[in-house]
Amino acid sequence: MSSVIDDIRSCRQKIKALSRMETNAFSDDVFTNVEEFYSSENSILVSCSDCGVRRLYYYTVDILALNSLFQSLKFEEYVLEFLTKNPDDKKTFLKENGFELLAQMMRMSTRDCSAFLNDSVLSQYGLSEEGQVPEIKFAPSINGRLHEIFDTKVSHLPSDEELSKSVERGEVEIHCNESGAIDAILQVVVKPQNFYINQIYNSTEKKIIHSMLQKRLKKYIAQGGKYAYAWVEKDNVASIKFHEKYGFKFDGLWNMVYVLKK
């Protein structure tokens, strides 16, 4: 794997030296499970397997050259994403190569998540039943539930191993109903300067997920944290309203998700 990444880096440096480079890959972290790697003098196209989804990443200074690399792809379906502040940027080369828009994810964020503490309606949920931090052995069953709920093409769902590590880090909380079935899941990634709501799901009383989230937010705020964000699908009205209750607003950044079926 390291040799493939080294090759990608080497080609990328040569392309970057030619002119201003366009890319949808902003970190080498995406290059796990590389399945296909194509390059030309001024373009790179990489296919990576992500829990059964083949995601495409590119670097180019010449869209026409990139188009020719798309013709080399071997599998039946791929997903390609890019960040933009202009959702009307359809990227003509995607349409020309048969890509169709699958989802538009909007980033919602707040510069001061402590504002919810002054909301009497929200604060009442903090007194409700809270979730529980699961043991690592339950990670596969939690992940199985996530894969039932979310579209793997749109959501970057973790592998069982990745979720186990997330559970071990204390990033996951769940709530189970009386029969033991999982009816609420919260996965957050907390750093000193940001609070990221990665996965959130609730099929029970709304007080449950509010209580779970508030417990995490209060701890983050107590440590001096303010900024929080999440990616929400444009058409998911319920999720948008949920985040708005905590002061989250659309901040202008979109993640456009395209699918190619050959």
Side-chain angles (χ1 to χ4, degrees), residues 72-85:
S72 303
L73 294 170
K74 299 175 181 177
F75 296 100
E76 294 181 356
E77 185 176 87
Y78 298 87
V79 172
L80 186 151
E81 303 169 77
F82 65 90
L83 299 178
T84 182
K85 291 187 176 181

Side-chain angles (χ1 to χ4, degrees), residues 17-54:
L18 294 174
S19 181
R20 184 174 179 178
M21 183 172 64
E22 181 177 343
T23 183
N24 70 332
F26 300 101
S27 167
D28 285 353
D29 292 342
V30 300
F31 299 124
T32 56
N33 303 317
V34 174
E35 291 191 334
E36 299 169 89
F37 170 40
Y38 306 102
S39 65
S40 65
E41 184 178 347
N42 46 28
S43 296
I44 298 173
L45 184 62
V46 182
S47 163
C48 299
S49 178
D50 176 17
C51 289
V53 177
R54 291 185 174 88

